[in-house]
């Protein structure tokens, strides 16, 4: 693929206003990281394209399969998830799908949507401790959990679930990672760290605190070498599929101004008792 660029003068200054390695384009030609679009279409999956756009290269089929598992596992968690509920509520307000989706994605922050990134940061901190202190994964995990609590409090991201006694997505994802480790696709270092975190939490609490979807996808993204911040973006991309599906379904169902609770279930009022407005004299 040969795309011509201005080499000097005012045209070059304009061309250099934005600089990117991602896309090269001229009338009639489009290329992503050097691959002509016509060669990608029909030969590269959407998951492979996500990898190309965020990593700059095409993944092996095995790594693409692992990324695909992480992306598809987190697409939806029902209207009890704030992002999904907001998408449906926005749809009943008469806005378009893009508005409903934007409203939903905008609540994917540190509390709802950020635990995967936080779990990755924890795994990487433990891995750094193991390397820098020359200790095994058991000791590194002990130190990492202590540091995590010192910095962020008692909450350990990626473990336990407010709804599921065992998150059904996590064991299946870990089985997929185990398979890729056996095949030599990934090293399995972060898998071992996550499993050790789960074990030590069980020893501390006297009961199992199972890994959840965030802890499991964090293992996959860490094994694939994805940056934690980008992992949150990938989660947003994944959850957007469920957001779209629910917004579309609600649009088809109809309904107007459907709030978060039924109309006959009102909130608790804790303010002052009924009182009179003072005279203005």
């Amino acid at each position: 693929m040969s795309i011509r660029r201005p080499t000097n003068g005012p045209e070059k200054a304009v061309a250099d206003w934005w600089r990117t390695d991602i896309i090269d384009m001229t009338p009639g030609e489009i290329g992503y990281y050097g691959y002509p679009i016509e060669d990608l279409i029909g030969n590269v999956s959407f998951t492979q394209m996500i990898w190309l756009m965020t990593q700059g290269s095409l993944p092996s089929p095995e790594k693409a399969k692992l990324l695909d598992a992480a992306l598809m596992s987190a697409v939806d968690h029902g209207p009890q998830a704030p992002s999904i509920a907001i998408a449906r509520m926005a749809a009943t307000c008469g806005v378009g799908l893009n508005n409903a989706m934007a409203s939903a994605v905008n609540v994917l922050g540190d509390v709802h949507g950020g635990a995967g990134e936080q779990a990755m940061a924890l795994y990487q901190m433990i891995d750094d401790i193991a390397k820098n202190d020359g200790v095994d994964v058991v000791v590194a995990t002990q130190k990492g959990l202590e540091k995590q609590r010192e910095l962020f409090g008692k909450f350990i991201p990626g473990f336990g679930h407010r709804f599921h006694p065992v998150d059904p997505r996590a064991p299946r994802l870990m089985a997929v990672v185990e398979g890729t480790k056996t095949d030599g696709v990934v090293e399995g270092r972060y898998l071992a760290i996550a499993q050790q975190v789960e074990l030590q939490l069980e020893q501390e609490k006297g009961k199992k605190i199972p890994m959840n979807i965030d802890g499991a996808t964090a293992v996959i993204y860490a094994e694939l070498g994805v940056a934690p911040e980008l992992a949150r973006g990938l989660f947003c991309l994944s959850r957007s599929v469920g957001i779209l599906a629910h917004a579309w379904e609600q649009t088809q169902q109809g309904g107007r101004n459907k709030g978060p609770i039924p109309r006959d279930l009102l909130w608790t009022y804790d303010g002052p008792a009924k009182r009179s407005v003072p005279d203005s004299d």
Side-chain angles (χ1 to χ4, degrees):
M1 182 177 184
S2 176
I3 294 182
R4 296 162 298 284
R5 291 293 185 203
T7 56
N8 51 50
E11 288 184 348
K12 184 178 189 324
V14 172
D16 285 347
W17 181 259
W18 297 113
R19 302 183 68 87
T20 177
D21 292 338
I22 298 171
I23 183 171
D24 203 4
M25 190 168 68
T26 197
E29 295 182 320
I30 302 171
Y32 300 103
Y33 287 106
Y35 294 106
I37 185 62
E38 60 269 25
D39 292 346
L40 294 169
I41 294 172
N43 294 312
V44 170
S45 70
F46 185 47
T47 297
Q48 289 173 303
M49 196 64 186
I50 291 169
W51 183 282
L52 173 63
M53 293 295 284
T54 57
Q55 303 296 319
S57 61
L58 286 171
S60 67
E62 296 81 10
K63 288 187 175 182
K65 183 178 179 180
L66 191 56
L67 175 62
D68 190 71
L71 290 170
M72 68 79 53
S73 67
V75 295
D76 187 22
H77 201 236
Q80 59 85 40
S83 54
I84 300 297
I86 286 170
R88 299 193 74 117
M89 285 189 291
T92 70
C93 295
V95 302
L97 287 176
N98 59 314
N99 303 95
M101 292 182 70
S103 298
V105 170
N106 277 336
V107 300
L108 295 176
D110 287 344
V111 175
H112 174 45
E117 176 185 345
Q118 294 155 11
M120 280 188 71
L122 171 61
Y123 298 161
Q124 291 185 352
M125 178 169 62
I126 292 170
D127 189 50
D128 288 342
I129 291 171
K131 291 176 180 176
N132 296 334
D133 294 0
V135 296
D136 63 20
V137 68
V138 176
V139 175
T141 301
Q142 291 170 346
K143 291 185 175 183
L145 287 174
E146 289 174 5
K147 188 66 174 178
Q148 174 75 17
R149 290 173 174 133
E150 177 186 326
L151 293 172
F152 305 108
K154 64 180 182 179
F155 174 70
I156 303 300
F159 296 84
H161 202 286
R162 62 186 176 86
F163 186 82
H164 300 291
V166 176
D167 189 331
R169 300 164 291 187
R172 175 56 189 152
L173 286 174
M174 290 302 91
V176 173
V177 178
E178 288 278 10
T180 57
K181 176 189 171 186
T182 300
D183 294 339
V185 178
V186 298
E187 184 178 341
R189 191 167 76 252
Y190 294 102
L191 171 63
I193 288 172
Q195 291 171 333
Q196 185 59 216
V197 170
E198 188 175 53
L199 177 61
Q200 292 195 21
L201 290 177
E202 181 179 4
Q203 293 170 343
E204 290 175 6
K205 305 293 184 181
K207 63 177 182 179
K208 199 170 185 66
I209 311 295
M211 189 185 308
N212 60 34
I213 180 70
D214 298 307
T217 53
V219 169
I220 291 177
Y221 291 136
E223 292 286 352
L224 289 174
V226 174
E229 299 85 353
L230 179 57
R232 186 189 300 206
L234 291 173
F235 171 77
C236 293
L237 182 62
S238 170
R239 183 52 59 89
S240 292
V241 177
I243 288 168
L244 172 60
H246 279 274
W248 176 243
E249 181 182 63
Q250 188 63 57
T251 299
Q252 303 308 298
Q253 289 179 357
R256 292 171 59 86
N257 293 335
K258 192 170 183 178
I261 56 176
R263 286 178 295 179
D264 57 341
L265 297 178
L266 296 180
W267 54 90
T268 298
Y269 174 67
D270 291 326
K274 186 176 181 180
R275 53 184 171 169
S276 299
V277 177
D279 293 337
S280 58
D281 295 342

